[in-house]
Amino acid sequence: MVSLETGTDSVVTLRYLPPYEAGDERAYLDALAEIGRREAPFLLLTIFGGGGKLSREGEREQALWFKATRARFGRLCGACAIVRPGANEQMAETFRKLWPFPISLEPDEAAGRAFLLRHKVKAA
């Protein structure tokens, strides 16, 4: 299941969670495209279930999205919290090399949201 929500607090929440379905990869990539089209500042909360691996083509499309949106994303996103089983500091460091905003690994959605709201002034 993939969902994308924008809250009144400027937090954009991207969820990619079980139960995984056949169209999830496309839904995830479409959600990335939608995030990449944003024009207003935001904070990003990503919540992944640890499964739902992308195909080779999906990985390529995701990488192209990172490259195409890097500058704009860096200007508009105030911070990113990643909630994902098995996430480690090496993963966070990879994202920190891509983007200039604060990135944090968090144990759950509430902690991720709390981290983001501490950066709200930068995104508002």
Side-chain angles (χ1 to χ4, degrees), residues 43-54:
L43 302 158
L44 182 61
L45 175 60
T46 62
I47 305 169
F48 297 103
K53 305 268 186 223
L54 296 178

Side-chain angles (χ1 to χ4, degrees), residues 55-93:
S55 67
R56 176 172 284 196
E57 295 79 22
E59 290 282 351
R60 182 177 183 280
E61 188 172 334
Q62 177 181 251
L64 289 171
W65 176 85
F66 280 124
K67 185 176 180 179
T69 63
R70 184 176 182 184
R72 181 181 194 155
F73 205 72
R75 282 192 319 273
L76 294 175
C77 187
C80 177
I82 301 168
V83 177
R84 181 179 186 159
N88 57 42
E89 267 311 301
Q90 182 178 3
M91 173 190 286
E93 282 304 314

Side-chain angles (χ1 to χ4, degrees), residues 3-16:
S3 67
L4 183 64
E5 305 159 8
T6 302
T8 57
D9 54 5
S10 300
V11 175
V12 173
T13 304
L14 173 59
R15 289 183 175 85
Y16 193 168

